[in-house]
Amino acid sequence: FGLQRPKEHCRTFLLNWMAPEVMDNAKTLPLRVSHQPDEPPTSFASRLAWRNFMPARFFTRDMGIDFNKLASGCEVTIAKLALLGAASLEALMKCSIRKKGSVITLKGQVLNRNDLRRSRVHICPRCVQEDIAGSDLPPKLAVRNRVAWALNPIRTCPIHDAALIEVAKDIPVHDTHDWTGNVTPVISSLPDLVDNAPTRKPSGLETYLMARLDGHSSDLWLDTLEFHAAAHFVEIIGAVAAFGKK
């Protein structure tokens, strides 16, 4: 299955593969990628889709997966994805942003809509370089998202002490969650992105918020606030301290 295989041939193959008359134990796709640590289900679905030569929205439609439910953390939908990709349902759910009514949660932390980068993509160029260097897959399939990169309050990579870089914005609604499709155009520019990414340590707030996502508590009274409220409160205090009251 070379990467240049015509899309329609791939679509026919996949639909035949998933047909009801095919044996149940054959429903794990033969062409797969491995789910990676801290990778949200939408990123995994997108990489799996492009591994099978299709944009994510067409792939999920043909596989009977509702992408909106996938992005909302629906366990039944994510279980279908886990089966297709031979991935751990538990690992996928752990990295899932879950939406139920007006409540949004991630790893047990309560977010609000303004915490999410919905039509923009940010990356750490050095992390992306390491994804590519450490994989036998083509670069666009090797690069994975990290769930923290989807959060507005997180602006720095704690591994490389570098600012996250915006590489896509104003993404059409139907392609919002197609990670691979959105990131592939900038892969050729990675050397320049690495060279030009500002270096800095994560702020105290970022360190605190990432620790909360990792399940760590502190002695700070901020622990009594929901994640989004703690982030917003500290940012307001920081702005007042820097610029004064307006």
Side-chain angles (χ1 to χ4, degrees), residues 65-137:
I65 292 176
D66 186 318
F67 216 146
N68 288 328
K69 289 184 178 180
L70 187 71
S72 297
C74 172
E75 186 168 0
V76 172
T77 303
I78 293 175
K80 292 181 182 179
L81 175 65
L83 175 61
L84 286 172
S88 162
L89 175 58
E90 181 181 2
L92 284 166
M93 290 302 298
K94 183 178 179 181
C95 303
S96 174
I97 295 174
R98 308 184 194 191
K99 303 172 186 175
K100 190 172 183 179
S102 61
V103 179
I104 304 172
T105 60
L106 170 63
K107 297 183 178 182
Q109 301 296 323
V110 180
L111 315 177
N112 68 24
R113 287 177 57 84
N114 293 330
D115 292 324
L116 303 177
R117 296 182 173 117
R118 293 187 293 276
S119 60
R120 298 174 294 133
V121 172
H122 284 63
I123 65 169
C124 168
R126 291 189 184 277
C127 284
V128 169
Q129 266 193 337
E130 291 176 358
D131 287 348
I132 294 170
S135 175
D136 294 329
L137 291 169

Side-chain angles (χ1 to χ4, degrees), residues 46-57:
S46 179
R47 292 196 302 123
L48 187 61
W50 287 97
R51 181 70 180 94
N52 286 275
F53 318 99
M54 300 173 69
R57 59 190 172 110

